[in-house]
Amino acid sequence: MPYSIGEFAEIVGVNKSTLRYYEMEGLLTPHRSDNNLREYTDQDIGWVQFLLHLKDSGMTMAELKQYTEWRAMGDETIPERKNLLEQRKQQVEQEIKALQQNLDILNRKIVFYNDQLTGNKYEFVLYHNEKKSHQEEKVDS
């Protein structure tokens, strides 16, 4: 079943202008009706949803274009696509680790403030001797 640009935009959760931009950048190639109107398919839904996940993972427009080009070339580019996804996965894992560390510090500080409010007074220690400070970690990197 073909979808109009408005229907398709609603299904995938983006603006029509975003779809036009993706088309202009070569990420999406909708079919055209006899009246030259854009028509999208169920396969296009899956592709755009995947593109949005890649974008949300931090992939640049250049990387999205490269992936799209490789996809259009067929199965012989699977190793390149897989490599690009593995690189992005490593970067996302590093970002998650950094976010988890930040979340842990926030949780520790919240516990500290709860203790302070209930009368359990002590000094907050951001890093214990066995851990490096944030500045030291940056220097070692």
Side-chain angles (χ1 to χ4, degrees), residues 31-120:
H31 304 284
R32 293 287 182 159
S33 70
D34 293 338
N35 297 332
N36 203 30
L37 298 175
R38 291 172 178 87
E39 291 183 334
Y40 299 90
T41 65
D42 289 330
Q43 285 182 322
D44 293 326
I45 293 171
W47 172 240
V48 171
Q49 288 173 334
F50 183 65
L51 276 177
L52 293 172
H53 283 291
L54 293 178
K55 180 180 167 281
D56 288 346
S57 78
M59 238 185 220
T60 65
M61 182 56 73
E63 290 171 320
L64 292 171
K65 286 180 180 182
Q66 182 63 76
Y67 188 94
T68 302
E69 287 175 24
W70 283 334
R71 177 181 179 254
M73 293 172 154
D75 287 352
E76 65 270 10
T77 64
I78 286 175
E80 289 85 356
R81 287 183 273 164
K82 179 178 171 277
N83 185 48
L84 181 60
L85 294 179
E86 286 172 341
Q87 289 174 13
R88 174 53 43 199
K89 177 182 175 261
Q90 288 177 343
Q91 291 170 340
V92 168
E93 287 172 343
Q94 290 171 352
E95 292 168 11
I96 289 170
K97 183 178 177 183
L99 285 172
Q100 186 60 55
Q101 290 171 342
N102 291 332
L103 179 60
D104 292 345
I105 294 298
L106 291 172
N107 284 331
R108 286 182 47 219
K109 193 67 166 184
I110 290 168
V111 167
F112 170 76
Y113 284 142
N114 283 336
D115 288 347
Q116 296 295 300
L117 292 171
T118 60
N120 185 6

